Amino acid sequence: MSDDEMANILGRSKSSIKNHRVLMGIYRTQKGSINYENVAIYVRRHNKQWKQDSMVNCSFRCIVTGERFDEIHHLVSLNTILNNVYTKLNIDKEAFDINATDEQHRHSFMQAVYEEQTKYPLGVCLCKDVHCQFHNQYGYGDNTIEQFEEFLHINYPGIQLNTN
């Protein structure tokens, strides 16, 4: 769907649609085509079942505040999951371009991602402030369940992580 079509449906300006798309890391190179800035953005946009399962598991609330959540935090970093998938599929992660891959290979890649992430607990729903606080303390990438448990213990001692 074009930015114009989305703007009409959503009652927004074309520029606001484009700005939101760019913020999400989705770029258009020619009319009708969408390019993803990187594989992680592609996976995040197509990981709908994991997101839904994570939201249901958290009762659609931030596990820290109990309020409406803004983001879903991977307890095991997405980069760790992707690195395991690259290894399993024998893919050179530096050369892999999700945009240049045909639909069948993208589907196979996502199937491998789904399979790999089932080895780990679902994500946890967090409000933006809590999510930023975690990443400000522990950085981005290579994050672990143990880090998140430590984060809760130090910053929110009454909150227990349920990884069932």
Side-chain angles (χ1 to χ4, degrees):
M1 193 177 289
S2 73
D3 289 349
D4 282 330
E5 292 168 318
M6 287 188 277
N8 270 343
I9 291 168
L10 297 172
R12 307 262 186 206
S13 69
K14 179 180 172 183
S15 64
S16 73
I17 297 297
K18 178 186 177 200
N19 290 338
H20 190 71
R21 182 173 43 74
V22 170
L23 281 173
M24 293 187 318
I26 303 170
Y27 301 90
R28 295 186 193 273
T29 55
Q30 53 184 299
K31 185 175 176 113
S33 76
I34 295 177
N35 283 321
Y36 294 89
E37 187 177 358
N38 59 50
V39 175
I41 290 172
Y42 177 84
V43 170
R44 289 181 201 288
R45 298 289 299 151
H46 290 84
N47 209 359
K48 291 176 174 64
Q49 190 62 54
W50 177 86
K51 289 178 185 178
Q52 182 65 32
D53 293 345
S54 297
M55 291 185 292
V56 167
N57 192 52
C58 295
S59 301
F60 298 89
R61 298 278 176 208
C62 172
I63 67 161
V64 171
T65 67
E67 301 296 320
R68 181 188 173 282
F69 78 98
D70 300 302
E71 299 167 349
I72 303 173
H73 174 72
H74 280 87
L75 291 170
V76 173
S77 285
L78 181 57
N79 75 302
T80 299
I81 293 167
L82 289 176
N83 285 336
N84 292 344
V85 170
Y86 294 139
T87 299
K88 178 181 178 183
L89 299 178
N90 197 27
I91 293 173
D92 176 0
K93 74 177 184 177
E94 301 303 323
F96 185 61
D97 180 359
I98 196 73
N99 299 304
T101 305
D102 64 41
E103 190 62 37
Q104 180 181 355
H105 286 100
R106 280 195 297 269
H107 179 75
S108 297
F109 181 80
M110 283 305 298
Q111 286 302 114
V113 170
Y114 300 144
E115 183 180 308
E116 182 64 27
Q117 74 184 3
T118 62
K119 297 176 183 177
Y120 307 106
L122 292 168
V124 291
C125 296
L126 299 173
C127 64
K128 187 172 185 161
D129 291 343
V130 173
H131 198 203
C132 288
Q133 181 185 9
F134 171 81
H135 285 297
N136 286 339
Q137 289 176 344
Y138 293 90
Y140 291 84
D142 300 323
N143 298 120
T144 65
I145 297 168
E146 292 77 19
Q147 285 176 330
F148 194 77
E149 288 173 333
E150 178 182 85
F151 168 77
L152 290 177
H153 177 73
I154 291 168
N155 298 285
Y156 304 97
I159 305 295
Q160 294 292 315
L161 180 62
N162 178 6
T163 57
N164 293 335

